[in-house]
Every structure is written in structure tokens, then in C-alpha cells.
Amino acid sequence: MRARVHVTLKPGVLDPQGEAVRHALGSLGFEGVGEVRMGKVIELDLAEGDPGAARDRVTEMCEKLLANTIIENYTVDVA
């Protein structure tokens, strides 16, 4: 079973990497780009066969390691 985790900064948390990308896009002629927020995608290949159990396990991984839940949100997709 495959799981994909999307981790993004919570609204209101400063995103210097996103701001640098926004500025670079403007320098390259891509005008009209507003706020840019950067994140990360984590893909996991799991031995678990039950989608619900897999989601629960990945959620636990996010809470303990994969996301800093103080400043980041995450979503889990299991397929």
C-alpha cells in the first residue's frame, strides 16, 4: 500500500523559502504571482493491507516525526 503525506506551513507562519521563490519568479518575468508557500511531499510504501490501519499508522508517523505540528499542517492520502 502506498501513502502520500503533504506537509505545509500553517497560515501565518513565515515562509522565507516561499518568499525567495516568489521574488525569483518575478525576476524571471513571471509577474502577478502573489504569495508562494513551500511544502514537502513524503511517499511511503507500506506493508499494511488495510487502508484505515495504514492511514492511522501514517498519521502516527506524522505526529511523531514527519511533521512539526506546531508550525505545519499535513494531509495523508492512502492508495
Side-chain angles (χ1 to χ4, degrees), residues 34-78:
E35 184 180 38
V36 175
R37 305 288 286 176
M38 299 296 289
K40 58 188 170 188
V41 176
I42 303 163
E43 293 186 350
L44 304 160
D45 188 20
L46 305 169
E48 183 64 56
D50 174 42
R55 180 178 304 282
D56 291 344
R57 188 162 182 213
V58 173
T59 297
E60 185 179 357
M61 291 176 194
C62 290
E63 293 289 325
K64 290 184 176 183
L65 176 68
L66 301 179
N68 178 349
T69 57
I70 296 170
I71 62 169
E72 295 175 322
N73 290 323
Y74 65 88
T75 59
V76 177
D77 299 316
V78 176

